[in-house]
Amino acid sequence: YWRDLYKELPAWGEISKSLPGKRFIRIQYGENGSPEALLMVKPMVDIERNEELGTIGIIVSFRSIRSVLNNVVQNHGNLIVYNEEGTPVYRCAGPEAETTDWSQTDGIWRALSRREEGGEKNAYVTDFTVDRSAYIGGVQHLEPLGWTVVSYTQKKHVRMLYHQNFAVLFAIAFA
């Protein structure tokens, strides 16, 4: 499997030369539809002479990437990774998330794209509304990959946590 992926690197290197950012990034999915490998290919350039030296390609098992992304998600939270075009390339939900219905991914991308037009750049926290549901989320742009990672939760869960903490403080103060 891995050997076959490496055989494709030269072709992907040629493709990368014509793409924005001069990079080819692809997630290889397994038979069960889950991501198995992340492929990154870029032309190597001598920056002093501005000459192309060749192509560099890296193939990473998606298991380690999945572990990092899944650890970001809190109990009621969700996480979506978008590519440069706004297409979700990875999604996961916390163990207590109300839904894993990913039909709102396009609405979330549109809401965040409008926010970015206001001048936000690499990382920020924002609130947004999709289909009359209010969310709060963190947004991180991963420029080398062309990805945008969005970790979000419904605002009602944040308020619930606030009220629980306040009740505990109140109980301690007047016990």
Side-chain angles (χ1 to χ4, degrees):
Y1 172 80
W2 294 98
R3 199 169 309 146
D4 290 341
L5 289 177
Y6 280 104
K7 288 179 184 176
E8 299 294 326
L9 287 177
W12 294 330
E14 289 302 313
I15 293 170
S16 71
K17 295 174 188 177
S18 64
L19 295 175
K22 303 268 187 228
R23 61 180 174 231
F24 178 81
I25 298 171
R26 177 177 166 190
I27 296 177
Q28 184 73 27
Y29 293 89
E31 291 177 8
N32 63 357
S34 65
E36 289 190 5
L38 173 66
L39 305 106
M40 299 174 284
V41 182
K42 249 186 118 133
M44 280 188 343
V45 177
D46 181 333
I47 57 174
E48 290 179 3
R49 292 186 225 128
N50 199 23
E51 290 179 13
E52 186 177 312
L53 301 174
T55 303
I56 186 165
I58 300 171
I59 300 175
V60 180
S61 169
F62 209 84
R63 188 177 327 148
S64 56
I65 297 168
R66 183 182 302 114
S67 175
V68 169
L69 293 173
N70 289 356
N71 284 332
V72 170
V73 179
Q74 299 298 315
N75 288 342
H76 296 284
N78 296 282
L79 181 133
I80 305 174
V81 179
Y82 296 93
N83 65 15
E84 288 174 307
E85 293 80 36
T87 304
V89 294
Y90 184 74
R91 303 177 269 231
C92 63
E96 297 176 28
E98 286 182 14
T99 180
T100 54
D101 172 18
W102 299 108
S103 63
Q104 296 179 328
T105 57
D106 290 339
I108 292 169
W109 180 258
R110 282 192 303 276
L112 295 174
S113 295
R114 284 192 300 273
R115 169 71 183 227
E116 290 173 15
E117 291 169 3
E120 297 293 343
K121 294 291 177 212
N122 289 330
Y124 57 92
V125 175
T126 187
D127 56 340
F128 55 94
T129 303
V130 177
D131 294 339
R132 290 183 258 174
S133 294
Y135 297 93
I136 187 164
V139 179
Q140 177 71 51
H141 295 290
L142 304 175
E143 291 300 322
L145 294 175
W147 287 357
T148 300
V149 179
V150 180
S151 177
Y152 65 97
T153 190
Q154 287 188 335
K155 278 188 173 181
K156 69 180 182 180
H157 295 299
V158 176
R159 283 192 294 274
M160 182 178 65
L161 184 60
Y162 171 78
H163 291 299
Q164 288 172 346
N165 288 342
F166 185 76
V168 168
L169 288 173
F170 187 78
I172 290 171
F174 294 103

